[in-house]
Amino acid sequence: MKDDNMKGMNMKDSDDKYQNMSNMKMDGKDHAMGNMKMDHSNHDMGNMNMNGSDHDMGNMNMDHSSHDMGNMNMDHGGHDMGSMDMSGGGMMMMHGGHMMNMGNLKHKFWGSFALMIPILIMSPMMGMRLPFQFFFKGSDWVVAILGTILFFYGGKPFFSGAKGEIEAKKPAMMSLISMGITVAYVYSIYSVINNNLTHSGMMVSNFFWELSTLIVIMLLGHWIEMNTIMNAGSAVDKLSNLLPNTASVKQADGQFKAVSLDQLQTGAIVLVKAGEKIPADGVITAGNGKVNESLVTGESRSIQKTVNDKVIGGSTNDDGSLQFKVTGTGDSGYLSKVKNLVSSAQNSKSKNQNLADRVSGYLFYASLSIAVVAWIIWSLINGVSYATTTAVTVLIIACPHALGLAIPLVVSRTTSLAATNGLLIRNRDALEGTKKLKFALMDKTGTLTQGQFKVNLVKSLTDAISDDDALKLIASVEQTSSHPLASGILSAARAKGLKLANADNVKQITGAGMEATIDGKPYQVVSGKYLTEHQIQFDQQQFDTVASQGNTVSYLVQGNQALAIVAEGDQIKPDSDKMVQYLNENGIQPVMLTGDNAQTAQKVAKTLGIAKVEANLKPEDKQKLVTKYQQSGAVMFIGDGVNDAPSLAKANLGVAIGSGTDVAIDSADVVLVNSDPKDVIALLKLARASESKMVENLWWGAGYNIVALPLAAGILAFIGITLSPMAGAVLMSLSTVIVAINAMTLHVEK
């Protein structure tokens, strides 16, 4: 199951078994699910568990998609919102089990920097007095006091982080830093006592210079790291610009008054005129018009909206005048959820991040072992003072500041680039395995095709009704649905000026279509497969002829008689062929999975160059095929969100295209905002480039220790080559600069 980082549906597949809607459990509070329509979807949602709060699912429509969502779990109690908290008193970020605050870290850096200045002026560097330094009687004690304050004040974040790592028995970056500064501090205090109190006869150099610069450099590095990630997150803050500054709210006297967006409250009635942006999520209470949600959900066309339909804040009312009741503002709105999603993704632990922690752990043990061995050997050769200097050098040079930055900088750069290019990364764990992908399973309607169906044929199969009567009946059954097939039928009925009849007892037929009662008579609108399964007679030759022309075919049925046939055609998206070509060229086999008939699917597949097609599928069939293909290699699933949610959640990499629903976001690893198949190419290129940068940075951040640690231990001291603590700190700083520059060179290949 993919990580669940925001409110909404968490589609958890546990056993691939689908049950009915019994055992539905809805624990929690404030679940607003008014006017939820599930027509055409044929969802089988056994054992649904909705445990959480503030779920706004009003007017959710899942039509004709044949969803089977067994064992769906909606438990918000275990949500991991990543390691970032950008509310209140500054950004929070996890390090070694310790929550670090952006504001506190900034203050600690400047406080430590202020303490470092007098230490640098009064403390020799490796026993050498520099021209700008001055000393006086008792200056060693002043330095010791300042160094002690700096050690405990500036070192606190590292000690807290190290404690978490040690308790977890996973020493890593914070443990390395803590070990280095602790050794330097203890030895420096020993030096001051020896030189000023015990007077053993041998002057011992202190390391307060090295200690202070190391703490300040480390604090600065983590401040830069957190600031970089926070700035990367600001890329998605541009989504906020989609919202207008004010909203026209209905007052007690019935008049509308403009109020600032921060004063807008749930339950308010808002007026949106033609050409205006919709200021918040809500449900239409009056009026109708076409709403353009492309910048918000990636839906490529304007959608006809009327009473009881849901609107999303940030979309645009293209025509007509709408009044809607606000259901979500601020943090509860869709745009806020998207921003939280990206922020969570930036700070969630990835496999490579865990690899960096493991490398730090190896470094911890390696440096400690080398330092101990070096101390023992050099104690026998040159005495304790020289041996301790050598051991401290080893521990300083092993401090993994660059290693700590190696992955986060690449991740923040990747997420920033992705967000500005319409790629919303939800689960970067899945993204990092793109080089292992072997199959790309993809839905047809809405993914490879426009999802804009046009009725090409309506023909009555009986003398009892005319073609227009048949269209009227079909449209009447479909009128509560917003599925593309239903939209095409309703558009055709409107074009002919047909007045729809009232439909009662509207129900979905699992895996087939819809049924309703009109004027006391039951009707069904179903697929050809349904007719075959229920032994209802129809003209197979006619079906094959119409379907082979690229049409999706449905039938109007009453009892055991097919009354009419309706055929709808869809258009292939302009860049679908480029995506398929790229997949084929890069060793990823494209496979089309569709609930449509085989003839239509084969025509689309042939046009695009897809060799493998699976047709007449239900959602559970798609998910089972994902599992089947995973036995032969990693699978990417590309779908339009709602009707492919189980497969999106099951795949190694789930990519939702052209969908802005909570279901799509919670189920997919990546959401393509612009609904363009070509963005899949950009996604794969960016993911592979990002993974390469991570590996490069791991080498830059830790690889230099292969040479530096032996040198610091004095392995070449016999020929006069040694490495001082300051030189070690300089090398560490240089490696940090290198990984930062390397991360910033990452770009989206066009």
Side-chain angles (χ1 to χ4, degrees):
M1 179 57 198
K2 308 292 187 296
D3 288 341
D4 192 13
N5 293 318
M6 60 181 290
K7 290 182 184 178
M9 280 190 173
N10 171 14
M11 308 189 62
K12 184 176 292 184
D13 168 47
S14 59
D15 57 10
D16 286 330
K17 295 179 182 179
Y18 301 84
Q19 304 168 12
N20 58 32
M21 292 186 69
S22 62
N23 303 315
M24 177 178 283
K25 182 181 179 181
M26 302 181 70
D27 295 338
K29 58 181 180 179
D30 301 323
H31 295 265
M33 302 180 67
N35 300 305
M36 183 172 187
K37 301 177 184 177
M38 305 184 76
D39 306 334
H40 268 298
S41 323
N42 310 310
H43 297 247
D44 192 333
M45 309 174 91
N47 299 307
M48 177 179 282
N49 184 333
M50 300 184 178
N51 189 346
S53 59
D54 302 313
H55 298 266
D56 182 2
M57 302 176 68
N59 292 298
M60 185 171 190
N61 193 313
M62 303 180 178
D63 304 341
H64 256 343
S65 309
S66 306
H67 295 241
D68 192 329
M69 300 180 175
N71 302 300
M72 179 177 285
N73 185 292
M74 300 184 181
D75 188 346
H76 290 271
H79 286 213
D80 180 4
M81 297 299 292
S83 299
M84 179 181 286
D85 178 2
M86 300 182 67
S87 62
M91 187 179 78
M92 303 292 294
M93 186 169 158
M94 289 296 294
H95 265 296
H98 174 62
M99 186 69 76
M100 301 180 71
N101 181 281
M102 180 70 177
N104 291 343
L105 195 61
K106 179 180 178 181
H107 293 152
K108 281 192 178 295
F109 166 76
W110 286 115
S112 299
F113 183 82
L115 290 168
M116 180 188 71
I117 298 302
I119 292 175
L120 296 185
I121 293 174
M122 294 183 288
S123 178
M125 182 184 72
M126 289 298 295
M128 296 185 298
R129 296 190 177 188
L130 301 178
F132 61 84
Q133 293 180 320
F134 69 90
F135 305 91
F136 55 88
K137 187 176 181 179
S139 62
D140 282 357
W141 292 107
V142 174
V143 170
I145 292 171
L146 294 175
T148 300
I149 297 172
L150 176 59
F151 175 69
F152 288 103
Y153 172 73
K156 183 178 179 181
F158 308 118
F159 299 143
S160 299
K163 180 182 178 182
E165 292 177 352
I166 298 301
E167 288 177 347
K169 298 181 180 180
K170 294 181 179 179
M173 179 172 57
M174 293 301 190
S175 301
L176 273 172
I177 297 172
S178 298
M179 182 170 62
I181 63 177
T182 299
V183 170
Y185 172 72
V186 171
Y187 185 78
S188 296
I189 291 297
Y190 156 75
S191 170
V192 172
I193 294 174
N194 177 80
N195 296 337
N196 293 276
L197 290 180
T198 61
H199 302 291
S200 64
M202 182 182 66
M203 292 296 293
V204 180
S205 298
N206 69 63
F207 295 101
F208 281 119
W209 171 293
E210 290 75 21
L211 170 68
S212 62
T213 53
L214 185 56
I215 288 177
V216 170
I217 287 173
M218 292 299 179
L219 287 172
L220 176 62
H222 286 291
W223 179 21
I224 291 173
E225 175 188 352
M226 293 176 70
N227 190 55
T228 300
I229 294 176
M230 187 172 66
N231 288 340
S234 67
V236 294
D237 287 341
K238 295 178 181 178
L239 288 169
S240 299
N241 296 330
L242 295 176
L243 296 174
N245 295 323
T246 61
S248 184
V249 179
K250 190 174 185 178
Q251 306 298 305
D253 59 2
Q255 300 298 311
F256 287 88
K257 178 182 177 182
V259 301
S260 62
L261 213 57
D262 58 359
Q263 295 178 340
L264 189 60
Q265 297 181 352
T266 301
I269 301 298
V270 176
L271 172 66
V272 182
K273 298 178 182 178
E276 293 182 345
K277 289 184 177 180
I278 295 173
D281 296 0
V283 177
I284 297 175
T285 58
N288 61 80
K290 289 187 175 181
V291 176
N292 188 334
E293 298 178 344
S294 60
L295 290 178
V296 180
T297 68
E299 182 60 53
S300 60
R301 66 190 187 280
S302 294
I303 302 173
Q304 186 69 36
K305 300 278 188 176
T306 187
V307 175
N308 290 331
D309 283 342
K310 187 176 181 179
V311 292
I312 300 174
S315 54
T316 303
N317 181 22
D318 283 347
D319 60 28
S321 180
L322 302 175
Q323 292 183 32
F324 71 93
K325 183 177 181 180
V326 176
T327 59
T329 63
D331 292 340
S332 65
Y334 169 76
L335 291 182
S336 179
K337 291 180 181 180
V338 172
K339 289 186 289 184
N340 289 338
L341 175 156
V342 178
S343 295
S344 296
Q346 286 176 331
N347 287 274
S348 61
K349 278 283 186 182
S350 70
K351 292 177 181 177
N352 276 27
Q353 180 70 53
N354 291 333
L355 174 61
D357 284 340
R358 289 197 297 272
V359 171
S360 295
Y362 298 149
L363 260 177
F364 174 84
Y365 291 116
S367 61
L368 183 59
S369 300
I370 292 173
V372 170
V373 171
W375 187 87
I376 294 173
I377 293 175
W378 285 111
S379 292
L380 297 174
I381 297 175
N382 278 0
V384 173
S385 179
Y386 185 88
T388 304
T389 300
T390 301
V392 169
T393 302
V394 170
L395 297 174
I396 289 177
I397 206 168
C399 286
H401 181 64
L403 184 61
L405 289 177
I407 303 304
L409 284 178
V410 175
V411 169
S412 62
R413 176 67 175 170
T414 300
T415 310
S416 177
L417 287 172
T420 54
N421 285 272
L423 309 173
L424 300 183
I425 300 173
R426 179 185 183 275
N427 179 4
R428 77 177 193 239
D429 276 6
L431 199 63
E432 290 166 9
T434 53
K435 289 184 179 180
K436 299 179 181 178
L437 290 175
K438 297 297 182 183
F439 304 98
L441 279 56
M442 60 195 77
D443 180 50
K444 177 178 72 68
T445 304
T447 300
L448 296 172
T449 64
Q450 297 284 6
Q452 293 176 292
F453 285 91
K454 179 182 178 182
V455 174
N456 294 324
L457 171 71
V458 177
K459 185 173 181 60
S460 172
L461 303 178
T462 174
D463 294 334
I465 57 173
S466 65
D467 293 346
D468 283 354
D469 290 336
L471 178 59
K472 176 181 176 180
L473 287 169
I474 295 171
S476 297
V477 174
E478 300 277 18
Q479 61 186 308
T480 59
S481 170
S482 64
H483 186 273
L485 282 171
S487 298
I489 290 170
L490 293 171
S491 294
R494 282 194 296 268
K496 286 182 171 290
L498 301 177
K499 185 178 180 180
L500 303 186
N502 293 326
D504 300 318
N505 302 318
V506 180
K507 298 178 182 178
Q508 56 189 342
I509 303 174
T510 302
M514 297 279 295
E515 65 179 354
T517 301
I518 299 175
D519 294 332
K521 299 178 181 179
Y523 293 94
Q524 298 172 327
V525 178
V526 292
S527 63
K529 182 180 179 181
Y530 179 88
L531 270 62
T532 300
E533 291 175 345
H534 290 76
Q535 299 180 345
I536 299 175
Q537 297 296 317
F538 68 102
D539 189 337
Q540 184 67 52
Q541 184 177 356
Q542 180 191 41
F543 175 90
D544 293 341
T545 300
V546 174
S548 65
Q549 296 170 353
N551 292 307
T552 298
V553 181
S554 300
Y555 288 88
L556 174 66
V557 175
Q558 185 179 43
N560 290 319
Q561 182 181 8
L563 302 180
I565 182 174
V566 56
E568 299 178 76
D570 195 5
Q571 297 296 315
I572 296 175
K573 289 184 177 180
D575 292 321
S576 292
D577 57 341
K578 296 178 182 177
M579 177 187 69
V580 172
Q581 180 182 356
Y582 177 83
L583 294 173
N584 281 320
E585 291 175 350
N586 286 270
I588 303 174
Q589 182 182 356
V591 182
M592 181 193 294
L593 309 184
T594 178
D596 212 340
N597 63 76
Q599 293 90 334
T600 300
Q602 287 291 350
K603 181 174 182 179
V604 173
K606 184 177 180 180
T607 302
L608 294 175
I610 299 176
K612 185 70 174 176
V613 177
E614 302 280 356
N616 294 310
L617 301 176
K618 297 178 182 179
E620 64 269 28
D621 297 329
K622 294 180 183 180
Q623 189 183 49
K624 289 175 182 177
L625 283 169
V626 169
T627 302
K628 175 185 175 182
Y629 278 93
Q630 283 176 329
Q631 294 174 0
S632 301
V635 171
M636 171 173 63
F637 187 91
I638 310 170
D640 60 358
V642 174
N643 65 326
D644 296 310
S647 299
L648 287 166
K650 186 71 174 177
N652 299 90
L653 175 61
V655 180
I657 183 169
S659 178
T661 65
D662 287 345
V663 178
I665 291 174
D666 276 347
S667 303
D669 301 304
V670 180
V671 178
L672 306 187
V673 174
N674 297 322
S675 193
D676 187 347
K678 191 169 62 176
D679 285 344
V680 173
I681 301 175
L683 172 65
L684 293 176
K685 288 182 177 180
L686 176 61
R688 293 181 175 187
S690 174
E691 191 169 358
S692 295
K693 288 292 182 185
M694 288 180 180
V695 173
E696 292 171 11
N697 271 4
L698 284 175
W699 277 105
W700 283 116
Y704 78 97
N705 284 288
I706 296 173
V707 175
L709 286 179
L711 285 178
I715 194 172
L716 297 180
F718 68 94
I719 59 174
I721 299 177
T722 58
L723 203 61
S724 70
M726 180 53 69
V730 170
L731 279 178
M732 177 270 298
S733 299
L734 287 176
S735 65
T736 301
V737 173
I738 291 173
V739 299
I741 293 174
N742 192 45
M744 291 303 105
T745 60
L746 180 66
H747 63 280
V748 178
E749 184 179 345
K750 300 297 183 181

